Amino acid sequence: MSQKHMRLFVSILVLACLSCCSSISSRGNEILSTHNDLPLTKRANRQLRAAQVESHIGKRSTDQALRRNHELHYVDDTLDIENRRLAAQVRVTAKLPTLLLEDIDHHVSNVNCAESHIVLGFGTTLRKRAALAEIGVGKDFYLVTSHDTCNVDGERSVYLVSTVSATSDDLNIVLSVSRVSWKSAIQTIKIDVGKSKERYRIRKQGEVQKRQMPSSAEASIVATPGAAASTVAFPVPPSSTPTATSAHKDVSFSYADTPLLPPAFPGVDSATLNVPFIPNGVSIKCKNCTVTGTIDILQGSVLGNTTNSSEDDDFSWDQGSFTFEANGFSAHIQLEATIQPSADLLSFEAPMPTIGLPGFSIPGVGTVGPIFKPAIVIGTQISSELEFTYGFNLTVPNNSSILLDLTDPEDSTVNGFPNSQITALPFTSSVNNIALTVSAAFRPELLLGISVLTGILGAGVFFNLPTVSATISQVAHVNSKCEPLPIPSSSATTNDNSSTIVDGVVEDVFGSLTHVEPEVELDFGVLAEAKLGAGGKGVEGVVTVFNTSFALPTTCLSFDEEEKTLGPVAAKTTGKEGGGKGAVASKKNEAGRGWENPLTGIGSVSGMIWGLFGVSLIFVGL
């Protein structure tokens, strides 16, 4: 190949690379834009349905089928976004011997329920006699059904059996019954909810489960393995779980230039937010308040009891615990405030719109309805009226969890959250010579409304996630890091008197700078409206279970008299001691530093494009 053809070939190759790089850069912008526009993740309705563990089906005989202790299973018949299923194990101790009819389905050929009687049909005389020998004739017991004509599909019902009769003319047993509530039949109940690795078969109406059951993709499901099982307005337990269109575990929200106090959230009635008293001249708004992430109930467990068969008896809570898990959780809280002077530290709490999260419902037994209540708290102590902006960035590690132990709050645990990354946002103000104590906090509550039988309990956890406070003061005769400098002698001072020599190093001297000393505090605690357990250590009110604090790096700011802004301190360019233009980094220089994005940044794609273009010109010139 000639030298001329070689130069032409290289030029074409370079131009092709330029086109490819431009396409990559454009595609990167498209990908980022598409990701930012994704809708909130919705969750399916978790109405748990009566089910059986497949390995248990057909293994029980009629012997000892009538007993007080039973284990019931319920399972979510829909997939969540992680392709997992929620399962509940309900252990009950009844007040009378109880027959769980599904345990002997393989002995029964048909079931027919009416208002006052239930007819059980058997395939052979031998099976009928075995059933009669177990349940006897004329003695009271409970019968639990999950069959067509006996209860709503997916539920279980309880019947009190008063008499048992049978004749030799057919293969039927007739039970005289009256339907009763779970509350009146149960002495103790324990519910464990979580992800399960068991294979389940959902109870279907219109069929009885036989010993040899053909596999069915519709009836059989597999739950994938998972982990082991102040005045607070707690949510009312729902009568049913929220639907897919009304609840999601995504707690994301974003408010820009939105007033917090007094509140003005789009589409929200401020009267529903329980806004505190706001003094005249105080206003706080979200300049940019953005929260992203998900929170879900990973596991739950409650234990309770009733004392006798009276419908009016209270349900007693003995034990309770719930585990919540957070993923992809981050917050950018930038507040803008106008505050009046105060000799004392004033604190203002700004409630935000509540977010409904997906709970679960076990038909006829209980429901759990969680809500996420975000709030922002700002505190100040200042000698004169001031307008300023302040805030923080927060990133919580994935799989961070909180175990809420309602029986003994000291056993509650927090994992992951204490390792959150927290940075303070720059403090800005149009006023110099500031003496201020300020704090900004993101303080959400995760609250549960729990209903089991007739017992209702409110419980939850609260977070200070985090509280970032700062002491802001003026310092004199310091270096660019706000470190005090010694008064220089004439022999150690430079000619322009704007710098000094310390340990052989020339230091700029600043007559007045603003020193910001931030600190972080993290708090987590348990909330409940009633104690659990007789004489136990259960929660009633608010109990803090974790607290820590630590300092953040300090910052040093200089005031620009012309721009009326605080900014980072830069090397001096004037011969005068103190602030002024030379004390604030040039905005042009700051912008010139920039940052590099591997898809769209000037320092990557554009630089490579122009470099290749120059190479192509050299080859063409040759």
Side-chain angles (χ1 to χ4, degrees):
M1 181 181 291
S2 68
Q3 195 174 23
K4 181 178 180 181
H5 288 111
M6 176 63 74
R7 290 197 300 268
L8 180 61
F9 172 75
V10 172
S11 298
I12 294 172
L13 180 61
V14 170
L15 290 174
C17 289
L18 293 177
S19 175
C20 178
C21 290
S22 296
S23 174
I24 291 173
S25 177
S26 174
R27 179 58 178 160
N29 286 327
E30 180 184 344
I31 291 172
L32 293 174
S33 175
T34 301
H35 176 74
N36 290 335
D37 292 338
L38 288 176
L40 293 177
T41 304
K42 299 298 181 69
R43 287 298 301 264
N45 176 21
R46 293 194 287 190
Q47 176 89 11
L48 306 189
R49 295 166 57 85
Q52 290 175 278
V53 178
E54 282 199 344
S55 59
H56 295 174
I57 295 176
K59 290 190 174 181
R60 291 193 183 277
S61 68
T62 53
D63 294 341
Q64 298 181 344
L66 198 64
R67 59 192 189 280
R68 292 177 181 266
N69 298 318
H70 286 276
E71 185 178 287
L72 311 175
H73 295 272
Y74 295 83
V75 70
D76 184 3
D77 62 353
T78 58
L79 291 171
D80 63 16
I81 59 173
E82 293 87 10
N83 292 321
R84 301 182 300 179
R85 300 182 189 272
L86 189 68
Q89 183 183 66
V90 182
R91 295 184 178 95
V92 297
T93 299
K95 296 170 182 175
L96 294 174
T98 301
L99 173 64
L100 184 59
L101 187 55
E102 63 203 53
D103 278 352
I104 62 169
D105 268 351
H106 49 286
H107 295 290
V108 179
S109 59
N110 60 78
V111 178
N112 191 348
C113 290
E115 184 176 353
S116 60
H117 64 274
I118 295 176
V119 179
L120 306 180
F122 296 84
T124 66
T125 302
L126 183 62
R127 290 183 174 179
K128 175 184 174 182
R129 288 176 179 173
L132 278 175
E134 175 63 17
I135 63 179
V137 178
K139 62 180 181 180
D140 291 347
F141 64 91
Y142 291 125
L143 178 71
V144 177
T145 66
S146 54
H147 299 72
D148 196 17
T149 72
C150 301
N151 42 257
V152 177
D153 187 24
E155 299 184 8
R156 289 185 173 96
S157 297
V158 184
Y159 293 87
L160 174 62
V161 180
S162 56
T163 60
V164 178
S165 59
T167 66
S168 58
D169 298 336
D170 53 37
L171 299 177
N172 297 332
I173 295 177
V174 180
L175 310 176
S176 298
V177 300
S178 58
R179 188 165 177 169
V180 297
S181 67
W182 281 98
K183 163 69 167 54
S184 64
I186 289 177
Q187 186 172 1
T188 64
I189 181 170
K190 188 176 189 296
I191 303 174
D192 293 294
V193 179
K195 306 298 178 182
S196 171
K197 62 183 178 181
E198 294 280 2
R199 294 182 63 90
Y200 294 93
R201 190 177 301 278
I202 295 177
R203 296 288 302 172
K204 294 289 185 179
Q205 296 286 26
E207 64 181 14
V208 285
Q209 308 286 9
K210 302 301 180 182
R211 179 182 294 270
Q212 300 297 330
M213 195 71 177
S215 61
S216 168
E218 294 182 355
S220 178
I221 64 174
V222 180
T224 58
S230 67
T231 301
V232 180
F234 292 99
V236 176
S239 56
S240 62
T241 308
T243 63
T245 58
S246 65
H248 48 79
K249 68 174 185 178
D250 195 321
V251 297
S252 302
F253 61 83
S254 183
Y255 297 106
D257 293 322
T258 303
L260 293 175
L261 292 178
F265 295 100
V268 177
D269 183 2
S270 299
T272 64
L273 295 178
N274 193 25
V275 179
F277 170 74
I278 307 169
N280 291 331
V282 172
S283 66
I284 303 171
K285 76 174 183 177
C286 274
K287 190 172 183 180
N288 183 356
C289 297
T290 300
V291 172
T292 61
T294 63
I295 296 180
D296 200 10
I297 298 177
L298 195 62
Q299 289 180 315
S301 178
V302 292
L303 173 65
N305 70 85
T306 59
T307 55
N308 55 56
S309 61
S310 171
E311 290 284 352
D312 297 327
D313 283 345
D314 291 333
F315 179 83
S316 174
W317 300 88
D318 295 325
Q319 296 177 11
S321 66
F322 287 88
T323 301
F324 306 94
E325 184 179 75
N327 284 286
F329 197 94
S330 64
H332 173 86
I333 305 297
Q334 185 179 22
L335 305 175
E336 186 173 276
T338 299
I339 303 295
Q340 296 299 309
S342 172
D344 300 319
L345 181 64
L346 298 181
S347 181
F348 304 96
E349 181 170 348
M352 306 177 80
T354 297
I355 299 173
L357 298 175
F360 57 86
S361 173
I362 302 174
V365 178
T367 61
V368 173
I371 61 172
F372 184 74
K373 292 184 64 177
I376 288 177
V377 181
I378 188 167
T380 62
Q381 184 177 10
I382 191 170
S383 58
S384 60
E385 181 178 346
L386 181 67
E387 294 182 12
F388 64 90
T389 63
Y390 193 55
F392 55 86
N393 286 325
L394 164 76
T395 302
V396 176
N398 282 335
N399 303 314
S400 293
S401 62
I402 294 180
L403 168 62
L404 165 61
D405 191 322
L406 295 174
T407 312
D408 189 346
E410 294 180 0
D411 289 339
S412 298
T413 58
V414 179
N415 294 307
F417 286 98
N419 300 323
S420 299
Q421 296 181 0
I422 302 165
T423 56
L425 295 176
F427 176 86
T428 65
S429 176
S430 60
V431 178
N432 197 8
N433 297 320
I434 300 171
L436 168 68
T437 299
V438 62
S439 65
F442 181 51
R443 190 174 294 172
E445 294 175 346
L446 185 58
L447 304 178
L448 300 175
I450 308 166
S451 172
V452 175
L453 302 182
T454 58
I456 296 177
L457 174 67
V461 293
F462 70 86
F463 315 76
N464 272 336
L465 194 63
T467 297
V468 178
S469 58
T471 300
I472 302 168
S473 59
Q474 297 302 121
V475 290
H477 199 80
V478 293
N479 63 12
S480 61
K481 298 178 182 178
C482 285
E483 297 169 338
L485 294 174
I487 302 298
S489 64
S490 58
S491 61
T493 307
T494 60
N495 293 333
D496 61 5
N497 200 34
S498 63
S499 61
T500 187
I501 298 174
V502 178
D503 295 331
V505 178
V506 177
E507 292 266 18
D508 285 333
V509 177
F510 297 91
S512 179
L513 293 179
T514 301
H515 193 204
V516 181
E517 301 173 273
E519 185 181 60
V520 169
E521 183 177 10
L522 293 172
D523 286 290
F524 303 92
V526 178
L527 310 164
E529 62 182 358
K531 287 187 177 181
L532 274 67
K537 294 187 281 186
V539 185
E540 188 171 25
V542 180
V543 176
T544 299
V545 297
F546 177 86
N547 174 268
T548 187
S549 61
F550 52 91
L552 291 177
T554 62
T555 57
C556 200
L557 304 174
S558 182
F559 189 74
D560 190 317
E561 292 288 353
E562 292 185 4
E563 299 290 338
K564 299 298 181 184
T565 59
L566 287 169
V569 180
K572 289 190 171 187
T573 59
T574 68
K576 298 179 181 179
E577 185 182 74
K581 293 181 180 177
V584 182
S586 166
K587 293 182 179 178
K588 182 176 180 180
N589 291 338
E590 287 292 318
R593 295 190 184 102
W595 60 280
E596 294 185 3
N597 183 313
L599 289 178
T600 62
I602 294 176
S604 54
V605 175
S606 298
M608 183 173 65
I609 290 174
W610 288 110
L612 291 173
F613 186 65
V615 172
S616 70
L617 292 179
I618 292 173
F619 272 92
V620 172
L622 292 175

